[in-house]
Amino acid sequence: MYRRAPLKRLCQKVPDSLALMGLLLGLVAGAAWSETVPAETPAAAAVTEAALYPGLEEVVPEATTLDGAAVLAQQQIETLRQTTAFSARVEEIRTNWQQENAKIKELGVPIDWPVNRLFNVRAYLEGEERDVVQLLNKIAEPLKVLEELRKSWGDKKDFWQGWEKSLVDSGAKVPKATFRDVHNKIREVLGRVVKASAVLLKLQENTSQINQEIISLKEKIDGELTALKASPFRRNALPLLSSEFFAQFNTELLTKTIAGTKAALHVKSTFFARQGWLLILQALLFVALLVLFRHLAATTADKAEDWQFIFKRRYSAALFISLAAPYLFYVSPPPLLYLGVMLIATISAARLAGELLSEGNQRLLTYTLAALFIVSKIFTTLALPLPLYRLYLSLMAVCGIPFLYWLGRQHRQHVTDGVDRYLALLYSGTMIFLATLTAQIGGFAVFSINLVNSTIGTVFLMLFTLMTLRIAEGAIDLLFSSQALGTTRFVKNLGTHANTRLIRLSRFIIFTIASLYLLAVWGLFSDISAAWLYLMGLELIIGEFHLSIKTIVLIGAVLYFSILLSWFFQSFLESQFFFGKRIDRGVRDAFKKLSHYAIVLVGFIAAMTMAGIELQNFAILAGAFGIGIGFGLQDIVNNFVSGLILLFERPVKVGDAIIIDGQWGTINKIGMRSTVVETWDRSELIVPNSHLISEKVQNWTLSSSLSRVTIKVGVHYGTDMEKVIKILDQIGVGHPAVVDDPAPSAIFTDFGDSSINFELRVWVDDISNRLVVISALGIAIGKAFKKANIEIPYPQRDLHLRSVASDITLSQPPDK
């Protein structure tokens, strides 16, 4: 036994040893074979190379095919060489830029420009840069096609050269004339590609040079604007009351004023050629709105309380809407057009606001601010030189302080409970004017200019926002009260909820746009588009994880609209599909709830996909979610899954009458986590869904709404039992809430201690009538027994006394 054990272990090791030796022998043999294999001979290499090319018999057919391809390529190249339109456009851009650049140079260096001129010129440069980039992209398209042709025909050149060499090396008789023609055609095509590319490259180079000049000037302006934003509180002008300040009022100042006015009045003809359709659209919209307001004022004026101020100022409302709505689509509008739109919109908004303000004091302030806003916009558009603009702001502050103080005193006569919002606004305006005057006197010109312009711009932005809100809310109310939409079943049943949701959505959109404009008004961004792009570009970076505001907004918008779509779909089903049909309420609610989950899930997946988040990345999230469930979310998930089971299995459903924890109630809602049960005392029980699945629940209406009512009654011993049963049967049959099938039945139950006991058993078809039937049957039994002289006995008990006081006399029962 002990001698055979080593042999056994040796036998077990032999296969491993043989495998190792085989591996070593294989490696040695492979190395030796690689050393002994002879290198490929030139003849063999020639054979291998020849196998890569067709045979000699394919030369002429392939050459014929190449001829056709060359003709098509030359036609395509000739089409791409048609650069007349590009040349004209480049020349037009160069001429316009030279003219505009000369006018900009006449205004001096950007460091001496006022802030408004910096913004105006920068807006113009952005528009020019956009046009140049578009032209560069158009020129790049044919260049890309030509480059693809060059690579394709270059490959053909290498192929035919290699094919000819392969045939020569193999000893075949090569058709040299055919190969010569092929090489000539290829060189001709490539030559034409080079010439066409050279023309387009020259145009691209000239256009890029113009773009570089525009970018260079824009960078200088951006530098000045950045410097102004970085130090808004530094002294950057002469003190207002100094002699040096008044020395600036000379002929040079007049020349600058005239130059700024000419620059503002200049309008590019290309703007009307590209965006003139927006002006036509605004004019058509004005006429259409005017006709619409007249019609609504005559037909539905009593239904639209929010639009009464519009009906009184129809022209102002039509002008305001027609100018404000399409203006967002303008791209770099000329300063003069911007000024005209703002003037008309401001006057229209002021007239509309006057109808909303009941106090004449407030209307006077609104009209005054409108006038100041218009004058300020005129001066900023004309790029009024800084000394003149400072003088205007100082005069505004000097006159504004006593004016606002006077308005405040007039308003305090009507206010008895302290300071209201209007009075606080007047006090704030007074402080702003005082700060403006102080800053101008001290030489803080940029600070005072930004403060006044931003304040007035904020006031009118609030005014425009208020007008837009009132118009939008009134339009939604009119839409749902109109004859065409207001009479539909959907609007009658759910119009109030839909109206509320649309109003909330419109408010959110309007306030979002107003907030972006507010950032531009206070000089944080040049315009609303720059503010939007900057905010959308913000992102949170944690390692390799990037979360941008754009992603959050996109996800939020898709999820919100999926929830809104879910609500609309459920409402449509309720008002159009389920209405008038005998479908169980629980079935309806289950279907709507499941459709809600499905739509929201699809919206969530769409949001993740649109945001660029791959669904496979949710594996990590699912793992983290599973760990969270294991630690503390199991109850929530249990209730959610239980809610799904309730919707599918439906042991209880909405509308069922149940008894839970000893309380009667009706199920009102089955939610994601809990179920709402309204008790018959009108209180509400919030029951976790898992409780309805795992615990015992008595459901009175699961499969049928029939319910048995049992009335127990006892009569004196000696009463005619058949008579009692007959009376009970008559009472059960005679009640209108009692069903005929199953029929009412009266039965004897037992001989009690004090009475003979009976039960009246009846069935009702509505569980909600149960208590009413019990009460009615009890009253009827009492009346019938009294009429038939049948007594319901009191409970009788024997009393045994152990001790009795001596002064108490016990009476004896009468002898029978």
Side-chain angles (χ1 to χ4, degrees):
M1 178 178 180
Y2 292 99
R3 292 178 180 177
R4 295 177 62 183
L7 180 61
K8 183 178 180 181
R9 289 195 295 269
L10 180 61
C11 293
Q12 292 175 348
K13 294 181 179 179
V14 167
D16 296 337
S17 302
L18 291 175
L20 181 60
M21 292 177 63
L23 178 63
L24 292 174
L25 290 175
L27 292 175
V28 172
W33 179 82
S34 62
E35 292 178 358
T36 57
V37 171
E40 187 177 16
T41 62
V47 172
T48 304
E49 182 180 359
L52 299 176
Y53 297 99
L56 182 63
E57 70 278 1
E58 297 292 333
V59 172
V60 175
E62 289 294 332
T64 305
T65 304
L66 184 71
D67 290 341
V71 172
L72 294 176
Q74 290 173 3
Q75 293 176 355
Q76 186 177 10
I77 294 170
E78 289 300 322
T79 303
L80 295 174
R81 288 186 62 180
Q82 302 299 323
T83 60
T84 306
F86 290 149
S87 302
R89 182 65 181 142
V90 171
E91 189 62 30
E92 179 186 359
I93 288 179
R94 181 191 293 110
T95 303
N96 290 337
W97 169 242
Q98 290 175 351
Q99 294 175 356
E100 297 296 332
N101 193 23
K103 293 178 181 179
I104 292 174
K105 290 180 179 179
E106 292 177 359
L107 300 176
V109 293
I111 194 173
D112 297 330
W113 292 354
V115 179
N116 43 24
R117 179 175 293 167
L118 291 173
F119 280 116
N120 290 340
V121 175
R122 191 185 187 283
Y124 162 75
L125 293 177
E126 285 184 346
E128 290 296 312
E129 183 183 7
R130 191 180 300 110
D131 293 342
V132 172
V133 170
Q134 290 178 355
L135 180 58
L136 286 173
N137 293 333
K138 291 180 179 179
I139 297 175
E141 293 176 1
L143 276 173
K144 182 178 179 182
V145 177
L146 289 172
E147 179 62 20
E148 292 176 354
L149 284 173
R150 186 191 66 78
K151 291 181 179 179
S152 175
W153 285 87
D155 294 339
K156 286 181 173 62
K157 176 182 178 181
D158 296 338
F159 173 78
W160 282 89
Q161 288 177 349
W163 192 3
E164 183 179 10
K165 182 177 181 299
S166 173
L167 292 175
V168 171
D169 294 340
S170 64
K173 187 176 180 181
V174 179
K176 296 183 179 181
T178 303
F179 275 101
R180 189 185 313 110
D181 292 340
V182 168
H183 293 322
N184 291 335
K185 286 184 174 60
I186 293 176
R187 281 194 295 270
E188 183 180 0
V189 171
L190 291 175
R192 293 192 178 191
V193 168
V194 171
K195 291 180 180 179
S197 300
V199 175
L200 289 172
L201 287 172
K202 185 62 176 179
L203 289 175
Q204 193 178 50
E205 182 181 356
N206 295 337
T207 309
S208 299
Q209 183 179 0
I210 299 173
N211 193 38
Q212 289 298 324
E213 295 177 3
I214 295 174
I215 292 176
S216 176
L217 181 56
K218 194 175 74 169
E219 289 177 350
K220 293 180 181 179
I221 295 176
D222 287 339
E224 295 300 326
L225 290 174
T226 302
L228 292 175
K229 293 178 181 179
S231 56
F233 300 103
R234 67 181 176 89
R235 178 179 294 177
N236 53 2
L238 297 172
L240 184 66
L241 302 179
S242 64
S243 58
E244 292 85 356
F245 171 77
F246 291 101
Q248 298 177 93
F249 292 87
N250 48 32
T251 56
E252 183 181 357
L253 188 64
L254 179 61
T255 303
K256 291 182 179 180
T257 304
I258 296 174
T261 304
K262 289 182 179 179
L265 296 178
H266 174 67
V267 179
K268 293 172 56 179
S269 58
T270 55
F271 172 80
F272 294 102
R274 299 176 191 175
Q275 304 185 53
W277 63 272
L278 281 173
L279 295 174
I280 299 175
L281 177 63
Q282 287 178 317
L284 295 177
L285 183 60
F286 169 73
V287 175
L289 288 173
L290 197 59
V291 174
L292 176 64
F293 291 155
R294 286 183 178 178
H295 173 71
L296 294 177
T299 56
T300 60
D302 55 336
K303 299 180 181 178
E305 297 181 359
D306 290 339
W307 273 27
Q308 294 301 320
F309 74 104
I310 291 179
F311 296 148
K312 295 179 180 178
R313 300 287 187 182
R314 292 193 293 267
Y315 286 94
S316 297
L319 279 173
F320 178 76
I321 298 174
S322 61
L323 290 176
Y327 188 76
L328 295 174
F329 301 99
Y330 279 116
V331 179
S332 301
L336 190 61
L337 177 63
Y338 172 77
L339 176 62
V341 170
M342 292 304 298
L343 294 186
I344 300 176
T346 301
I347 296 173
S348 303
R351 288 173 59 83
L352 290 172
E355 293 296 328
L356 295 175
L357 301 174
S358 57
E359 187 178 340
N361 195 330
Q362 297 176 357
R363 286 196 294 269
L364 177 60
L365 177 62
T366 302
Y367 296 149
T368 304
L369 288 177
L372 291 177
F373 184 74
I374 291 173
V375 174
S376 299
K377 282 298 177 183
I378 292 175
F379 286 162
T380 54
T381 303
L382 298 180
L384 197 68
L386 186 60
L388 292 175
Y389 196 70
R390 290 183 60 194
L391 200 61
Y392 158 71
L393 292 180
S394 302
L395 182 61
M396 179 196 302
V398 169
C399 298
I401 293 173
F403 175 71
L404 294 180
Y405 177 76
W406 175 78
L407 289 179
R409 289 193 58 184
Q410 293 292 325
H411 183 70
R412 287 192 66 89
Q413 298 177 3
H414 306 283
V415 178
T416 58
D417 54 351
V419 179
D420 59 357
R421 288 183 295 179
Y422 176 65
L423 198 58
L425 179 64
L426 294 177
Y427 288 159
S428 300
T430 303
M431 297 301 297
I432 290 173
F433 277 141
L434 184 60
T436 300
L437 183 60
T438 304
Q440 288 292 350
I441 293 175
F444 299 91
V446 174
F447 169 74
S448 63
I449 292 173
N450 292 338
L451 181 62
V452 172
N453 292 341
S454 301
T455 302
I456 297 178
T458 303
V459 171
F460 274 88
L461 178 61
M462 294 170 58
L463 182 61
F464 292 163
T465 304
L466 175 62
M467 296 297 103
T468 307
L469 282 174
R470 292 294 295 269
I471 292 172
E473 293 176 6
I476 294 173
D477 291 337
L478 279 176
L479 178 65
F480 282 95
S481 62
S482 62
Q483 185 69 23
L485 192 62
T487 56
T488 60
R489 188 185 300 121
F490 175 83
V491 174
K492 287 181 178 179
N493 296 335
L494 301 165
T496 303
H497 300 287
N499 190 356
T500 303
R501 289 176 180 268
L502 284 180
I503 288 177
R504 289 177 181 173
L505 179 61
S506 64
R507 287 177 179 175
F508 175 78
I509 295 174
I510 291 171
F511 279 123
T512 301
I513 296 176
S515 301
L516 294 175
Y517 269 113
L518 187 63
L519 295 177
V521 165
W522 283 91
L524 299 178
F525 299 96
S526 58
D527 53 20
I528 182 175
S529 59
W532 175 258
L533 293 176
Y534 175 80
L535 293 176
M536 291 300 101
L538 294 177
E539 61 179 9
L540 175 65
I541 302 176
I542 303 177
E544 296 182 355
F545 178 74
H546 293 252
L547 181 63
S548 63
I549 300 295
K550 181 180 180 180
T551 302
I552 296 175
V553 170
L554 185 61
I555 293 175
V558 174
L559 290 179
Y560 174 78
F561 282 106
S562 64
I563 294 174
L564 188 65
L565 177 62
S566 171
W567 176 87
F568 179 80
F569 181 70
Q570 295 178 68
S571 303
F572 176 79
L573 289 177
E574 188 66 35
S575 62
Q576 304 294 329
F577 185 75
F578 293 142
F579 184 81
K581 297 182 181 180
R582 301 183 62 181
I583 301 176
D584 184 75
R585 181 184 175 187
V587 175
R588 299 200 308 263
D589 289 340
F591 186 79
K592 291 191 297 183
K593 186 67 67 176
L594 292 175
S595 65
H596 169 72
Y597 291 155
I599 293 175
V600 172
L601 178 61
V602 172
F604 176 77
I605 295 175
M608 297 298 103
T609 305
M610 294 174 65
I613 302 176
E614 298 182 359
L615 296 181
Q616 62 184 7
N617 295 335
F618 283 96
I620 302 175
L621 181 61
F625 188 66
I627 296 175
I629 292 174
F631 279 103
L633 299 177
Q634 58 267 49
D635 289 339
I636 296 176
V637 176
N638 184 19
N639 288 321
F640 175 72
V641 175
S642 299
L644 295 178
I645 294 174
L646 290 176
L647 292 176
F648 282 103
E649 186 181 341
R650 301 176 66 234
V652 295
K653 56 186 180 297
V654 175
D656 280 355
I658 64 173
I659 299 178
I660 185 167
D661 293 337
Q663 297 190 65
W664 285 76
T666 304
I667 295 180
N668 276 357
K669 177 185 177 184
I670 299 178
M672 294 179 59
R673 188 195 65 84
S674 60
T675 298
V676 179
V677 179
E678 183 180 2
T679 67
W680 289 3
D681 295 330
R682 294 298 181 183
S683 63
E684 292 181 334
L685 293 177
I686 310 299
V687 183
N689 292 331
S690 59
H691 185 78
L692 298 175
I693 296 295
S694 59
E695 302 293 334
K696 182 172 65 176
V697 178
Q698 186 173 356
N699 191 344
W700 283 84
T701 56
L702 176 60
S703 58
S704 174
S705 59
L706 281 176
S707 173
R708 193 179 73 176
V709 175
T710 301
I711 308 295
K712 297 180 178 181
V713 65
V715 299
H716 259 299
Y717 277 94
T719 306
D720 187 352
M721 297 174 63
E722 294 181 352
K723 183 179 180 181
V724 172
I725 290 177
K726 182 179 179 180
I727 292 173
L728 292 176
D729 281 335
Q730 291 175 351
I731 293 173
V733 173
H735 196 281
V738 175
V739 299
D740 297 332
D741 186 21
S745 63
I747 63 172
F748 161 77
T749 56
D750 65 338
F751 293 101
D753 295 336
S754 305
S755 61
I756 304 173
N757 297 324
F758 298 85
E759 286 184 1
L760 173 59
R761 299 176 177 179
V762 299
W763 295 82
V764 295
D765 58 357
D766 190 352
I767 191 66
S768 62
N769 294 331
R770 180 181 177 85
L771 297 178
V772 177
V773 171
I774 291 174
S775 176
L777 292 177
I779 294 173
I781 291 172
K783 291 181 180 180
F785 280 6
K786 184 177 181 181
K787 185 177 181 180
N789 294 321
I790 298 175
E791 295 185 10
I792 300 175
Y794 293 103
Q796 298 179 8
R797 299 289 184 266
D798 291 334
L799 183 62
H800 301 276
L801 301 176
R802 291 187 176 182
S803 61
V804 181
S806 59
D807 57 344
I808 297 178
T809 302
L810 298 176
S811 61
Q812 298 293 329
D815 295 334
K816 293 185 179 178

